[in-house]
Amino acid sequence: MIDSFHKQNIKSVWSLLECLGRTLRVYATKCTGVFPSLGNKEVYLYATKNEVVILCMDIVPENSLELANEVAQVREGKRPQYISIHDNKVRRDSTVWQMQEAAHYFLYALSCAQYPTCPQILCVLLTNGRILNYYSIQEDWALLPYAVKMLPGLTDIREHTLLINEKGYAEGAKMVNTALEEIRHMEYLSDSAAFKYLAGLVKVSAFVKDKKEEEVYVDSDNYDELDDDDEDNLDSMLLESAKEALSRQQNNAIKAEVLEPIANPRQELDKLVGCANIKRQIGDLLELTEYNCWMHLCYPEWKRHEVSLHAIFFGRPGTGKTTVCKIYGSLLKEAHVLSRGHVVVCGRGTFLGNNWGDEEKAVRQVLEMARGGVLMIDEAYLLNSSHQNDPGKLVVQLLMETLADEAQRDIAIVLCGYKEPMQRLLDLNPGLASRFPNRYEFEDFSINDLLEITRRRIREHDYHFTRAAWAKYKILLAEAYAGRDPQIWGNARFIANQLEHIYLLHAKRCVQRKFPKMKAFFSITPADIEPIDVPKAKRHVGF
């Protein structure tokens, strides 16, 4: 059960909690107001034979952005707090530390009741707030006596009511109720036993085991000289440091297109014109991930199947690679294997810089941008030219390191491009080829596919063709399709360009004539249809 919680993201966690509230394999109960440190926050307990999850719902004002300065405050023997980035006078006690106290109370109560089992405890914190230094502070949380899983930024937290299951696992129910009954009769230790115990553990683990002082954000030479009167100055230093770091991160961000996740990705995939083979392959991958998830939930000791998310999209321009990639990220998020599901679209120019080492920096930044989602590299074959000193080769090597790192699970890399040059890229890098078992080939659209794409696109603007206009359009499209060069044919992109030209002529006609009836403004007539130039293959001169 604890392992399942560790794998959750801000969307998938709700499905897990609903499942736990229904399965008899887990005892689930609400215990708000039982743990003194957590006050009236919503608290739930989930228990099996040897595992207990303490889950807290921490709801804060919208758009809350805070800095966690827990380690430095514990070092001074002070209660850890979160400091508002917008107003450093607004502070509140660290919910992570409140949960640590609750976990300690739970085990302390079991020991007082002489309960024979000592369970493994995980503290899960769900909050709509955001912690500015969330990623760096996780290293310090890892040293706490009880494991912490925090999911910040849950904007939909108010919409969810968690299920309880007090008819669940009998041994878990017995253990939880024993602890809660003992806690209700215990005197609250407040800042004495429980807090000192936790603070002592952190002092030993966080500052003896080769912990670098700069990770605490303050120079060690000056830190000991600060007294109580300088507390506000210290907090101001921390806030300014955090804000500067955030500003640098934003200003130095790589320029790449970011596509946000979409709602109902399965429906969007089903609605795509053509792509029958693509839909089938993606469907098979999703079914395997779903099978893995449910089997692991029902049988925690079961060994999961290894599922690679990395993929190659073969296809010419306009065949829907970017559209499918956006749906792909959202589907993987919905399947609980990616935490965000967004798509970062980039190409060779994104990675190459003017100075030595720019490529490595760019790769690191792009990977960080894409974490939790999909990194889509368009025309990826351009990264590996025949020139020995091509800096693009370094980009491929750095990507190989990421693909080989087992810890880099929360990302899917998709390489896109024409089939022949992409195959040459893979032939030159056998290691790269082995990391991309998912191959999706996007075929050119047929005439009927292109006509259906046309119908759908004009409906987006409530337009319709007259019979004569539709007949003229079909002839125009057939002529363009027959004279196309398959290597540079635009497919759906040609349809988009042709319709833009039609919309332009239609708007011009409507403005000039000022039709008295509204229906005329939505009718595409033969006068609105003129062919656009179709790119032709360049002829090679010579012998």
Side-chain angles (χ1 to χ4, degrees), residues 87 298 412 429 439 469 505 509 517:
D87 183 358
C298 296
N429 297 273
R439 312 285 176 89
L505 295 178
R509 182 173 60 85
K517 295 183 179 181

Side-chain angles (χ1 to χ4, degrees), residues 75-93:
R75 191 184 187 190
E76 286 291 288
K78 301 171 185 175
R79 176 168 288 276
Q81 292 182 318
Y82 297 150
I83 307 170
S84 172
I85 287 294
H86 307 296
D87 183 358
N88 64 0
K89 294 182 180 180
V90 177
R91 301 158 184 251
R92 65 188 181 103
D93 288 346

Side-chain angles (χ1 to χ4, degrees), residues 514-526:
K514 298 181 181 179
F515 297 107
K517 295 183 179 181
M518 292 298 297
K519 182 179 180 181
F521 287 96
F522 296 95
S523 298
I524 303 297
T525 69

Side-chain angles (χ1 to χ4, degrees), residues 79 101 105 187-199:
R79 176 168 288 276
E101 288 191 46
Y105 266 80
E187 181 181 353
Y188 181 40
L189 303 179
S190 187
D191 289 330
S192 54
F195 183 72
K196 288 180 180 178
Y197 167 79
L198 293 170

Side-chain angles (χ1 to χ4, degrees), residues 135 245-258 340 342-346 349-353 357-377 395 398-399 402 408 411 413:
Y135 291 102
L246 182 62
S247 176
R248 287 196 301 271
Q249 181 180 358
Q250 292 172 341
N251 292 335
N252 295 332
I254 290 293
K255 294 181 180 179
E257 184 180 7
V258 179
R340 291 184 57 192
H342 65 299
V343 179
V344 177
V345 183
C346 58
T350 306
F351 300 105
L352 305 188
D358 284 352
E359 291 76 24
E360 182 174 1
K361 180 180 177 181
V363 170
R364 303 298 181 199
Q365 288 184 337
V366 167
L367 288 173
E368 187 60 33
M369 288 176 64
R371 191 161 309 283
V374 175
L375 173 60
M376 175 181 172
I377 304 178
V395 176
L398 293 170
L399 289 175
T402 299
Q408 301 280 2
I411 190 172
I413 299 178

